[in-house]
Amino acid sequence: MIATRSTPMPSTSPTRAPARATRTRRRWVAVMAAGTLALAGAACSPQRVEPSASTSGGQTVPFHPLYFSGAAPNATGGVSDADVTFQRGGDVLRVEFSEDQVEGVGDQIRAASWSAVTVASLLTGAPVTGTYRFTYTGYADGPSAGTLTTVAVLAAQRGITIDPKATMTGTINPDGTVGPVGGIPQKLQGAADNGFTTVLVPAGQRNDVDANTGNLVDLVELGKTLGVEVAEVANVYEAYSTLTGQTLPRSTGSGSDRLDDEVYAKFKAQTGLALSRYGEDESRFLNLPDAIQEALIDSALEAQGNAQRAQDLSDQGLQAGAFEAAWLGAAEMHAVVATGQALIDVVNGDLAATVNRVTGAQSAETDMYALLDSLATYDPANISDAAALAFAYGQALDSYTLSVFAENQLAGISDAYDQGQIGDQEALTQLLVPLLYFEFAGSMVDYGRSVFEVGRDLAGPAISDNVDLEGVADFFRKGADANWAAFNDVVIHSIAVQYEASDERVVTALADSDLEIAISLTQQQAIDGLKQYIGAGEPNAAYAQLGYAIGNYARNALLLYKYYSNGELDEDFQLTGVKSERAFNASLDLGQEQLSSIVKVLQEKGAQPAYQAALLESADIDRNGDVDDKFEALRYYWAGFVSGRVMAYLGGFAGSGFAD
């Protein structure tokens, strides 16, 4: 039974505002859905590489990934042989693999190699076309050579080689920071046995667990006994310098997240709209029966916290951050009210009423198509318009995907009910989950439309006549898909093997507890459907693909960072902390630097990076919160950086803003 004690909704005055919520948009819906169900149920020396005839003008760079194999007490480490050849030219980006063993190159290596090419190009403004051919000797798999592979790609692009006596281990993040890995003591031994004198490891992992003994090992001291110099590196710039002896140019300077008067006014108006919607739904919440309020009070307080945070930020003149918080609070409160109204039906046993509510919530899909129709008629005049259009398409795609996810759940419930596997009461409770997803899908449409209104019709340089819009979209889409492939291989498949379950069962279970996984799960299929809806050959179809790429590049990379690289998770796969604070802080610092620097480049070119400024402002605030907030800040930094780089490519100045 639902408790009958009434807990009135607190005032929204600053003195009574709750502390910042610990949950974030990444998983808020899924967390609330699970809680609702529970409630209802209770009811080397570098040298210049000269082009050779054998590579037709390509540049080949050998590199040596470290590997870890076996299990305690017989785990070992070793060194693989690989090289990458870069050939300029062509109309598209191609990544090829050559192996000397049947299935010698694993899926994780393939995904990591695609990611390395994407990151290397993002960091330097390299062309988004050309062919990269990776050659591996023997068997190779795993993402832990991500940074080394990225350095090899950069070296191939720039015509230098890697020190043949140096190597490293560490994954690569989309901003160029190095992610933590395992098995380093064994890898270090393998490097020493093969004559390597320098080994780089991720920052924060000087001390690592020996897989055979379980003891913590000081890698620097271990290296001394093995005749190997061990050094920690936080990012690809540091790794590149040590491995090649050269300096990798990096973006410099900081852009301002201060909004000009026009953008400020737009953000303020849209923030007011979101807070108005929040207020209407808060009133509806207070009119719900006391027992229902009690059941949903935690989620309602979280929504209220975001609304109050939005008001506080607006009062401080941080209008972009206020905008993000206001829309999050509005979406949360809307979902709370919808759930509360449905819980009344559950208590009353009114299955027909609940079905009607779910059917009504499906109107979010109609709103999504209306947004798509309006976007299809918009002709972007400059790169600022292009960014707004791409982001709006991305939100429409997220909404569509979440609706599809909800419809699949709804179909499963319907089938189970028709076959007599569940009765009225169980159907009632299960229907609350797709209802919640439909409600959030509708909020995504509203948010996307709001961001479009802020970002459209602003000043900015024209889209370059020389840019291949389809090619740029295709490049960033491949980067997003590479991140998802890596997540699927190193997280989903590993869990499936551990629990002797299918990959499909594992990803479905995780999607039930993490909204971002739910969205990513069907995005690759959804983007094709979206492009077909827009129409073959229509120019805005490329912007839809850009929207997909921008959102999913950061989303999928963060899933990999959270579930594999640096997130500490409990038995329910909920985030509790990080494995390496130093690595996490390095990611936040470089993410901030990258986003701020691309904002500066865009501003110097006369663009209005409204979306990037909003993400920068929001991320700078969130990074001071709890671990969930910090992860959200990281995603904001990455999404802003990638979208800013997209604008630079579209404007024809992708190589601007870099200095040695």
Side-chain angles (χ1 to χ4, degrees):
M1 287 292 291
I2 297 174
T4 57
R5 179 175 60 85
S6 173
T7 303
M9 188 68 176
S11 163
T12 56
S13 63
T15 57
R16 301 189 62 187
R20 176 72 204 278
T22 58
R23 301 173 191 142
T24 62
R25 181 167 52 193
R26 289 195 311 276
R27 51 183 292 268
W28 188 90
V29 178
V31 169
M32 186 177 168
T36 299
L37 282 178
L39 290 166
C44 143
S45 260
Q47 54 187 344
R48 182 68 55 178
V49 177
E50 297 299 333
S52 65
S54 63
T55 59
S56 301
Q59 293 133 3
T60 300
V61 176
F63 62 104
H64 305 283
L66 299 176
Y67 66 81
F68 169 83
S69 64
N74 300 309
T76 60
V79 182
S80 299
D81 293 325
D83 63 58
V84 58
T85 299
F86 173 49
Q87 247 182 310
R88 300 180 183 276
D91 297 328
V92 298
L93 171 68
R94 296 185 59 84
V95 175
E96 301 174 348
F97 298 91
S98 176
E99 54 193 358
D100 65 351
Q101 298 292 334
V102 177
E103 297 183 344
V105 179
D107 289 340
Q108 294 177 20
I109 282 286
R110 291 177 180 272
S113 299
W114 274 100
S115 295
V117 170
T118 307
V119 172
S121 300
L122 271 173
L123 296 182
T124 62
V128 295
T129 59
T131 299
Y132 297 84
R133 182 176 180 83
F134 291 90
T135 301
Y136 289 92
T137 300
Y139 295 93
D141 204 8
S144 64
T147 301
L148 176 64
T149 307
T150 304
V151 171
V153 169
L154 288 163
Q157 290 174 343
R158 303 177 66 77
I160 62 173
T161 58
I162 292 175
D163 183 342
K165 293 298 183 179
T167 185
M168 74 169 294
T169 183
T171 61
I172 189 71
N173 295 321
D175 59 354
T177 51
V178 182
V181 293
I184 302 181
Q186 279 66 42
K187 293 177 181 177
L188 186 56
Q189 181 68 60
D193 292 343
N194 284 273
F196 285 82
T197 57
T198 300
V199 174
L200 306 182
V201 300
Q205 284 198 276
R206 171 170 177 159
N207 298 299
D208 193 49
V209 176
D210 186 307
N212 289 324
T213 67
N215 297 327
L216 202 61
V217 176
D218 185 324
L219 298 176
V220 173
E221 295 302 318
L222 176 60
K224 290 178 180 179
T225 67
L226 297 173
V228 177
E229 181 181 357
V230 177
E232 295 177 276
V233 290
N235 55 59
V236 71
Y237 302 104
E238 296 175 4
Y240 184 92
S241 177
T242 300
L243 293 173
T244 71
Q246 303 287 319
T247 299
L248 179 66
R250 62 194 296 174
S251 53
T252 59
S254 297
S256 173
D257 59 2
R258 186 182 68 82
L259 307 172
D260 73 5
D261 292 343
E262 180 184 8
V263 179
Y264 184 94
K266 283 189 170 186
F267 269 127
K268 186 172 184 178
Q270 293 299 320
T271 298
L273 175 62
L275 289 177
S276 177
R277 293 188 178 188
Y278 166 85
E280 292 173 359
D281 279 320
E282 183 186 56
S283 296
R284 294 189 182 98
F285 175 81
L286 294 172
N287 287 325
L288 292 172
D290 290 346
I292 301 298
Q293 289 187 43
E294 170 68 13
L296 298 174
I297 191 63
D298 288 344
S299 296
L301 286 173
E302 181 172 348
Q304 183 202 45
N306 279 306
Q308 183 59 55
R309 178 169 173 256
Q311 188 61 63
D312 292 344
L313 292 174
S314 181
D315 292 344
Q316 298 171 46
L318 299 173
Q319 207 59 56
F323 171 84
E324 289 286 325
W327 275 107
L328 180 56
E332 290 170 342
M333 185 55 78
H334 189 71
V336 167
V337 172
T339 303
Q341 292 170 338
L343 278 174
I344 296 174
D345 299 333
V346 173
V347 173
N348 294 333
D350 194 341
L351 180 59
T354 303
V355 170
N356 287 336
R357 291 190 187 280
V358 176
T359 302
Q362 285 181 279
S363 65
E365 191 167 304
T366 301
D367 293 339
M368 183 273 300
Y369 283 119
L371 175 59
L372 289 178
D373 291 342
S374 67
L375 296 178
T377 64
Y378 186 73
D379 183 17
N382 54 50
I383 64 172
S384 299
D385 289 346
L389 183 60
F391 181 78
Y393 269 123
Q395 289 301 300
L397 180 60
D398 283 357
S399 174
Y400 173 74
T401 306
L402 205 55
S403 292
V404 169
F405 193 77
E407 287 170 357
N408 290 338
Q409 290 183 318
L410 189 58
I413 296 168
S414 179
D415 288 345
Y417 183 78
D418 291 343
Q419 295 171 16
Q421 297 173 357
I422 59 175
D424 285 6
Q425 194 62 29
E426 190 172 357
L428 274 166
T429 59
Q430 291 188 17
L431 283 170
L432 295 177
V433 177
L435 170 66
L436 198 54
Y437 280 106
F438 281 132
E439 293 292 352
F440 242 77
S443 293
M444 285 178 175
V445 172
D446 293 336
Y447 175 68
R449 187 178 289 112
S450 187
V451 172
F452 184 55
E453 290 303 317
V454 171
R456 62 181 293 183
D457 304 328
L458 297 174
I463 299 169
S464 173
D465 292 335
N466 298 321
V467 71
D468 177 4
L469 185 60
E470 293 280 356
V472 172
D474 185 62
F475 170 81
F476 285 98
R477 178 192 62 80
K478 288 172 179 175
D481 290 349
N483 287 335
W484 175 255
F487 173 73
N488 193 64
D489 288 331
V490 304
V491 177
I492 300 300
H493 185 67
S494 296
I495 295 174
V497 170
Q498 179 183 354
Y499 290 96
E500 298 182 347
S502 67
D503 289 6
E504 181 180 4
R505 182 179 177 185
V506 171
V507 74
T508 300
L510 288 178
D512 285 339
S513 64
D514 193 322
L515 173 62
E516 301 303 324
I517 296 177
I519 293 175
S520 289
L521 183 59
T522 53
Q523 287 275 278
Q524 295 183 53
Q525 293 75 32
I527 183 59
D528 291 334
L530 179 58
K531 289 168 65 178
Q532 290 175 12
Y533 180 82
I534 296 169
E538 291 295 324
N540 282 6
Y543 290 108
Q545 185 157 292
L546 276 174
Y548 161 88
I550 292 168
N552 280 280
Y553 188 88
R555 175 186 292 122
N556 296 341
L558 196 69
L559 288 176
L560 191 62
Y561 192 79
K562 170 184 173 182
Y563 286 91
Y564 172 76
S565 183
N566 203 17
E568 286 283 4
L569 306 171
D570 62 21
E571 63 276 8
D572 296 320
F573 299 102
Q574 301 305 318
L575 187 65
T576 60
V578 295
K579 299 173 184 175
S580 170
E581 289 285 352
R582 181 177 174 185
F584 194 38
N585 288 332
S587 292
L588 287 167
D589 289 343
L590 188 55
Q592 182 187 50
E593 175 188 320
Q594 297 284 10
L595 177 51
S596 182
S597 64
I598 192 60
V599 166
K600 178 189 177 188
V601 169
L602 293 170
Q603 290 171 337
E604 289 178 342
K605 294 294 182 178
Q608 288 279 10
Y611 174 52
Q612 291 75 22
L615 292 180
L616 178 59
E617 189 170 284
S618 297
D620 286 347
I621 296 168
D622 281 349
R623 69 175 297 174
N624 295 314
D626 59 28
V627 66
D628 278 314
D629 297 330
K630 292 178 185 293
F631 267 81
E632 191 75 346
L634 196 56
R635 184 164 75 99
Y636 282 160
Y637 285 139
W638 289 352
F641 173 56
V642 172
S643 64
R645 297 299 298 148
V646 167
M647 292 177 69
Y649 273 104
L650 295 183
F653 50 87
S656 297
F658 295 98
D660 291 339

